[in-house]
Amino acid sequence: MTNADSAIGLTQAAAARVAAIAAKQNKPAILRLSVEGGGCSGFQYKFGFADAADSDDAVTETDGVRLVVDSISLDLVRGAQVDYVESLGGAAFRVTNPNAASGCGCGTSFSV
């Protein structure tokens, strides 16, 4: 497990939302971000809750909430910021990824 504070960020809005969901589900406040092949642009972000960080995970913490990213996905999201955004179109976690060369309208798919 490595410290990812400089590798990836979690905003206070995202941390607050993760904490609220985790409390409702009686789970630890640990959000896992991974990257999978697929989506309309080649890669897609996948979010889920984790019970604990794995040994090869990079971990960052904001307001007591941890964001964990596996070592393979970290190469594709290094320098990214995970936010939680509410708008008229709905609410979602959003990744601002400086490594993405392009993305799609849904905001969950990207290419490098």
Side-chain angles (χ1 to χ4, degrees):
M1 185 167 39
T2 60
N3 185 321
D5 285 336
S6 61
I8 189 164
L10 182 67
T11 67
Q12 289 181 320
R17 185 63 181 151
V18 169
I21 294 170
K24 273 187 175 180
Q25 296 181 359
N26 200 25
K27 293 197 171 257
I30 304 172
L31 180 66
R32 176 171 296 283
L33 169 63
S34 59
V35 176
E36 297 180 345
C40 47
S41 294
F43 294 103
Q44 60 187 358
Y45 302 112
K46 181 178 176 190
F47 290 99
F49 281 88
D51 291 324
D54 293 336
S55 61
D56 70 333
D57 285 341
V59 180
T60 189
E61 189 169 322
T62 301
D63 297 339
V65 174
R66 291 190 288 169
L67 173 66
V68 296
V69 182
D70 65 89
S71 59
I72 294 171
S73 297
L74 184 61
D75 286 339
L76 296 168
V77 296
R78 189 174 306 278
Q81 186 83 5
V82 177
D83 196 7
Y84 181 74
V85 180
E86 293 183 27
S87 68
L88 290 176
F93 289 101
R94 299 281 175 172
V95 179
T96 303
N97 187 349
N99 304 302
S102 65
C104 67
C106 68
T108 61
S109 182
F110 69 102
S111 66
V112 290

